[in-house]
Amino acid sequence: MRLTAGRCFKQWTGDDSKALMKVYIAAIEGFVPAEIVRTLRALLEFCYLVRRHIISEKVLQEIEDALAQFHKYRQVFMSGNNPVVTTFSLPCQHAAKHYSSLIRLWGAPNGLCSSITECKHIKAVKEPWRRSSKFNALGQMLRTNQRLDKIAAAGVDFESRKMLNESCLSSAINMLARTIASESDNDQNNTGLDLPQQTASILGDNEHPVPDDAVGLLIQVKLSRTPQRRRAHTLPALAAELGVANLVTLTRCFLFDQYHPDDDHDPTEIPLSDCPYYEGRINVYNSACARFFAPSNLSGLGGMQKEFI
């Protein structure tokens, strides 16, 4: 329904109607005759009852009572010196008479509404129209719908052949694993630490490669190829350079978490003497690339997301 002189509305949608139903009775109370309020109250009661997911015989009786009250009080629109209408021959109001018998035959409508065709209209007409050049658009719209139908049919065929059982995450993991496996390991021997394998791995260019069967990998942080040469190469020197006095302590706590991933103790309760101490050489990298599995609007439901730090 289009409103030419409405209240800032260019087009009245189904959501607007549902929102109005919640406040309509309170909005018109006192401004219209009581019979009109009773008519609309009976109609809203009927609408809410037939939307229920479960409808029993008691609810069916309430539906019939609400419809009977609506038919009784709607006569106010035909009475008086200036009747609003001369007949109630409206398809939607006529269809309301058949709801009870159809529910007994076929079950609850479960929220089904005649506006469902509007959703199909959006998919079949409005969206193809927006994708067209707007010139002789009918042929372009038909071609768009045909291609969408073929894509949907191909998806069903691929699903039946079990070609869509996995997302693109597996292929991305295998590609990353092959890339990392082809790089050399130069700094691992200097660390002297063999961290346990985690599901979420943090790997640099010169660290241990991920095995080909690491299908549980959910995140990878890849450091830049070249470290900064004029930065500190030990933890105490880096702590002084950054002005973080407890950097060594934080690093030892981090290493303890990596060695004991199943430890349930609070980190503040663990004695610092139980945490490993690292005295090897470190490198500082100014940038990193993080690849992780994150279903979102950007990466899709089964895609990988890439962020540069």
Side-chain angles (χ1 to χ4, degrees):
M1 179 177 66
R2 293 190 176 275
L3 307 177
T4 57
R7 183 72 173 177
C8 302
F9 284 100
K10 294 183 179 179
Q11 184 174 359
W12 196 268
T13 64
D15 292 337
D16 296 328
S17 299
K18 294 175 184 177
L20 182 62
M21 288 172 64
K22 301 178 182 179
V23 297
Y24 200 74
I25 298 298
I28 65 175
E29 176 70 25
F31 296 94
V32 296
E35 288 78 6
I36 296 180
V37 178
R38 295 190 183 100
T39 303
L40 296 176
R41 189 263 179 193
L43 177 61
L44 294 179
E45 182 71 14
F46 172 83
C47 294
Y48 283 122
L49 287 173
V50 297
R51 284 183 182 178
R52 291 188 179 183
H53 299 292
I54 301 176
I55 297 180
S56 60
E57 284 294 333
K58 180 181 178 181
V59 177
L60 283 174
Q61 185 61 43
E62 294 176 359
I63 291 174
E64 294 174 354
D65 294 342
L67 187 61
Q69 292 181 11
F70 170 72
H71 289 160
K72 173 184 176 181
Y73 292 116
R74 73 177 182 177
Q75 299 298 326
V76 67
F77 292 99
M78 296 181 60
S79 61
N81 297 327
N82 297 314
V84 179
V85 295
T86 58
T87 179
F88 291 107
S89 181
L90 300 175
C92 291
Q93 293 190 20
H94 174 75
K97 300 179 180 179
H98 304 285
Y99 267 62
S100 298
S101 59
L102 293 177
I103 289 174
R104 287 188 173 93
L105 288 175
W106 307 107
N110 199 18
L112 183 65
C113 180
S114 59
S115 62
I116 191 173
T117 55
E118 176 67 18
C119 301
K120 301 300 182 182
H121 173 73
I122 293 174
K123 291 293 184 181
V125 179
K126 288 186 176 180
E127 292 183 356
W129 163 261
R130 297 189 186 107
R131 296 189 179 103
S132 68
S133 64
K134 312 299 187 299
F135 178 75
N136 292 334
L138 180 58
Q140 303 174 45
M141 295 164 61
L142 294 176
R143 188 179 301 110
T144 298
N145 287 327
Q146 289 175 0
R147 291 174 177 175
L148 291 176
D149 292 340
K150 291 179 180 179
I151 292 175
V156 174
D157 180 61
F158 293 160
E159 183 68 27
S160 63
R161 300 185 184 185
K162 300 182 180 180
M163 298 171 62
L164 302 178
N165 291 343
E166 297 180 358
S167 65
C168 62
L169 176 62
S170 300
S171 60
I173 289 174
N174 294 332
M175 181 183 66
L176 292 176
R178 288 193 298 267
T179 302
I180 296 172
S182 63
E183 299 175 357
S184 59
D185 181 10
N186 296 328
D187 292 340
Q188 182 67 22
N189 296 331
N190 296 329
T191 61
L193 294 176
D194 295 328
L195 298 181
Q197 183 178 353
Q198 300 289 331
T199 299
S201 303
I202 301 178
L203 302 174
D205 283 347
N206 298 323
E207 294 185 64
H208 191 68
V210 176
D212 293 337
D213 58 350
V215 295
L217 182 67
L218 296 180
I219 181 173
Q220 182 198 47
V221 179
K222 187 175 182 180
L223 303 178
S224 58
R225 291 185 176 276
T226 305
Q228 297 298 306
R229 298 180 179 179
R230 298 183 180 181
R231 302 294 296 273
H233 293 288
T234 62
L235 281 176
L238 183 61
E241 180 180 332
L242 299 178
V244 182
N246 61 339
L247 179 62
V248 176
T249 302
L250 295 175
T251 304
R252 296 180 66 179
C253 295
F254 170 76
L255 294 177
F256 181 87
D257 292 337
Q258 296 298 306
Y259 274 117
H260 308 86
D262 299 329
D263 194 298
D264 297 333
H265 291 86
D266 189 275
T268 58
E269 300 176 355
I270 301 173
L272 187 60
S273 58
D274 295 343
C275 299
Y277 186 76
Y278 178 71
E279 297 178 343
R281 178 185 174 89
I282 63 172
N283 290 321
V284 178
Y285 297 85
N286 285 345
S287 63
C289 176
R291 292 184 178 91
F292 51 91
F293 176 65
S296 64
N297 292 334
L298 295 177
S299 57
L301 294 178
M304 297 288 291
Q305 177 76 336
K306 179 191 293 185
E307 295 288 345
F308 290 96
I309 305 171

